[in-house]
Amino acid sequence: MKNKVFSIAMLIFLSCSLINAQVTPPEPPTPPVAPEVQPIPKIVDTTRFNLGNKQILIIDSKSQNSNSEIDEELEESMKDIKIEIEEHKRELDNAKREQERKLGKGSHGENKAPDKDHSKKMDKKKSSANVGFLDFNLGFNILNFGNSIPESTQDDLKIKSWGSWSYTFTFLPTKIYLGSPNFMLMTGFGWRIGQFEFKEKIDFVPKQSLVYTKNDQIKKSQFVIHQLQIPLGFYLQSNKIKGLGKIGIGLGGYAGLLIHQELETKTEDPKRSIETEEDFGFEDFRYGLSAQVDIGAIKLFANMDMNKLWKDNDIKNIECGIWFDF
């Protein structure tokens, strides 16, 4: 019984002690100190190369950042590089266009379509000679009487300026360039037709040299002669001048052979047209001096015979007119 009472008493004492006692809560654990954030080292790669006369430096920065940050940095670097490359490309294009302009090319590096003059000049430089198809001279004849011809004869032999034409066809006209496309030697093979229509009503005696009679029945009296000849001369031509064209001048000579002569007469009463193909005393050989003057499309020539037109008579022929090349 005593033991039970003692046990109950001890239990009550312990219960009261626990109730009255102040329980101190444990201190919360100290939070861990965040480590100091250190800057992430960057790994830097550099690349150098030359673009034209410029040196390009490419800096490739790598870090331990996230993938998005790396992509942004790479994108910015690539933008800078592209801008730099575009600037250098523009400089190179400008330099290339300037060089091409000096060489006669277009602004986009394409050759300009060559004009005719340029093509001809290139052909001249490539070859030492140029053979054409045909040259044509159209002129009129003028008789130059010597002092030994009486004035009466000069009056009888006056010719009509617009009825005394000359036509010269020069086949295969050849230009031989003498070290320059502007200086050349010109030649070819010519066929000349000369006409001499007289103002007076005169009739010529065949197989005689300038023997004639006056005849009132004659309406027209005209000689027609054919000659083969070879021209030879030097020709100097300038480059094309703006607004004027090319200017050229030529000096030379010619030599030829008479191959045909005839007299054409027309009578009024009765009306007849007669062609007499006989020897009327013309010189067998023709030779003389020639000159040419070209201003743009205007081409002029003059020929002066050094030989006599008729045998044993001091009468020479001068020929002036225009010429065309085809």
Side-chain angles (χ1 to χ4, degrees):
M1 184 67 179
K2 289 180 180 181
N3 289 334
K4 291 182 179 181
V5 174
F6 178 75
S7 299
I8 292 171
M10 288 298 292
L11 182 61
I12 292 172
F13 177 75
L14 291 174
S15 300
C16 290
S17 296
L18 291 172
I19 293 171
N20 293 327
Q22 295 182 354
V23 179
T24 303
E27 294 183 358
T30 302
V33 178
E36 183 179 355
V37 178
Q38 299 294 331
I40 301 173
K42 294 183 178 181
I43 302 173
V44 180
D45 292 337
T46 60
T47 303
R48 296 176 185 269
F49 66 91
N50 293 327
L51 182 61
N53 58 353
K54 301 289 185 177
Q55 187 179 66
I56 308 301
L57 177 63
I58 300 178
I59 301 175
D60 187 8
S61 299
K62 299 180 181 179
S63 64
Q64 298 177 358
N65 296 340
S66 63
N67 292 335
S68 61
E69 292 176 351
I70 293 175
D71 292 340
E72 290 178 359
E73 291 181 3
L74 289 175
E75 186 177 354
E76 291 296 327
S77 299
M78 291 302 296
K79 287 182 179 179
D80 294 340
I81 293 172
K82 288 180 179 180
I83 293 173
E84 186 72 16
I85 290 175
E86 289 296 331
E87 291 179 356
H88 288 291
K89 185 178 180 181
R90 283 193 295 269
E91 292 179 2
L92 290 174
D93 289 342
N94 293 335
K96 185 178 180 181
R97 282 194 292 266
E98 180 66 20
Q99 184 68 19
E100 290 171 348
R101 185 185 65 79
K102 293 179 180 179
L103 296 175
K105 295 184 178 180
S107 59
H108 298 288
E110 298 178 354
N111 291 331
K112 292 183 178 179
D115 56 13
K116 293 182 179 179
D117 293 337
H118 183 68
S119 298
K120 289 182 179 179
K121 185 179 290 186
M122 294 299 293
D123 292 340
K124 292 174 184 178
K125 290 181 178 179
K126 291 180 180 179
S127 62
S128 59
N130 182 24
V131 180
F133 173 67
L134 178 69
D135 284 355
F136 175 66
N137 290 17
L138 174 62
F140 58 91
N141 296 306
I142 302 172
L143 294 183
N144 182 23
F145 298 96
N147 296 329
S148 62
I149 304 298
E151 291 185 3
S152 58
T153 303
Q154 294 183 26
D155 294 335
D156 293 340
L157 297 179
K158 286 182 178 179
I159 60 177
K160 296 179 180 180
S161 299
W162 297 105
S164 301
W165 296 99
S166 65
Y167 312 92
T168 303
F169 302 89
T170 302
F171 301 97
L172 302 178
T174 303
K175 300 176 182 178
I176 302 173
Y177 303 108
L178 304 177
S180 170
N182 302 103
F183 185 53
M184 63 199 78
L185 181 66
M186 300 179 64
T187 186
F189 182 76
W191 173 33
R192 178 178 180 265
I193 303 173
Q195 298 176 342
F196 302 90
E197 183 178 350
F198 299 94
K199 295 180 180 180
E200 297 293 332
K201 299 177 179 182
I202 53 180
D203 189 17
F204 291 86
V205 179
K207 299 181 180 180
Q208 299 290 329
S209 178
L210 207 60
V211 177
Y212 60 90
T213 60
K214 293 185 178 181
N215 187 346
D216 293 337
Q217 297 300 319
I218 293 178
K219 180 180 179 180
K220 176 182 177 181
S221 179
Q222 174 182 266
F223 279 118
V224 178
I225 61 175
H226 295 248
Q227 296 163 318
L228 297 179
Q229 62 186 26
I230 296 178
L232 185 65
F234 295 97
Y235 184 74
L236 180 63
Q237 186 179 55
S238 69
N239 294 325
K240 190 173 182 180
I241 301 173
K242 186 176 182 181
L244 187 61
K246 296 182 179 181
I247 297 178
I249 184 171
L251 295 173
Y254 51 88
L257 178 67
L258 178 68
I259 60 173
H260 179 76
Q261 53 184 312
E262 66 181 42
L263 175 65
E264 297 178 356
T265 56
K266 291 183 179 180
T267 60
E268 293 181 338
D269 187 19
K271 291 184 177 181
R272 292 178 179 177
S273 178
I274 304 171
E275 293 183 2
T276 305
E277 298 181 1
E278 290 287 351
D279 182 7
F280 288 94
F282 286 95
E283 282 285 358
D284 295 328
F285 299 98
R286 179 184 186 237
Y287 56 91
L289 302 176
S290 64
Q292 293 174 314
V293 176
D294 307 339
I295 302 176
I298 302 174
K299 301 176 182 292
L300 306 176
F301 79 94
N303 294 330
M304 184 175 67
D305 289 351
M306 302 302 294
N307 64 288
K308 297 175 182 179
L309 185 59
W310 283 280
K311 297 175 181 178
D312 303 325
N313 291 277
D314 190 12
I315 302 174
K316 297 179 180 179
N317 183 50
I318 298 175
E319 182 183 10
C320 301
I322 60 177
W323 69 282
F324 310 89
D325 55 347
F326 301 96

